[in-house]
Amino acid sequence: MDPKQGYSTVAAVPVCSQCARQHGLAIFTTLCCCWPIGLFAIMKASESRTALASGDFQRAQTLSQDSRRLSCFSIAGGCVSIVIVIIVVVTMVTSN
C-alpha cells in the first residue's frame, strides 16, 4: 500500500484547561513571609493567568510551578528570618 493513501498520523498532546492557581499562596507569602520574593511569585502567578487566558497551557503550567516554587522560597526565607530574630533577641537578653 502507498503510505500517502488512507492513512493519517495523529499525535496525542495532553492539554490542561486548568492550571493550579497560585495567587492566594503568593499573596500570603508576600504579606506574611518574605515580601521581596513574594512579589516575584505574584508576578509569575499573574503571568500564568494571562498565559492560560490566551490558551498557552504549557507556559501557564510552567509559570504556575515557578510561582509555587518562589512562594515556597519566600516561606522558607520568612522562617529563617524569624529564627534569626529569635536567636538575636535571646542572645541580647541573656548577655545583659
Side-chain angles (χ1 to χ4, degrees):
M1 282 190 132
D2 187 13
K4 296 179 185 174
Q5 291 179 332
Y7 291 100
S8 61
T9 303
V10 177
V13 178
V15 176
C16 71
S17 61
Q18 183 96 10
C19 293
R21 298 184 185 209
Q22 304 297 333
H23 255 62
L25 179 62
I27 291 171
F28 169 76
T29 58
T30 300
L31 295 176
C32 297
C33 298
C34 184
W35 66 268
I37 300 172
L39 288 177
F40 286 107
I42 289 175
M43 289 172 31
K44 292 291 185 182
S46 296
E47 290 175 17
S48 173
R49 181 182 290 178
T50 303
L52 186 62
S54 68
D56 190 357
F57 301 115
Q58 182 64 36
R59 181 164 164 75
Q61 185 70 29
T62 302
L63 289 168
S64 178
Q65 291 171 351
D66 289 346
S67 175
R68 182 172 176 82
R69 188 174 303 116
L70 287 170
S71 294
C72 290
F73 287 150
S74 179
I75 291 170
C79 291
V80 168
S81 65
I82 289 171
V83 168
I84 290 172
V85 167
I86 290 173
I87 291 171
V88 168
V89 168
V90 168
T91 304
M92 290 176 67
V93 168
T94 57
S95 67
N96 289 336

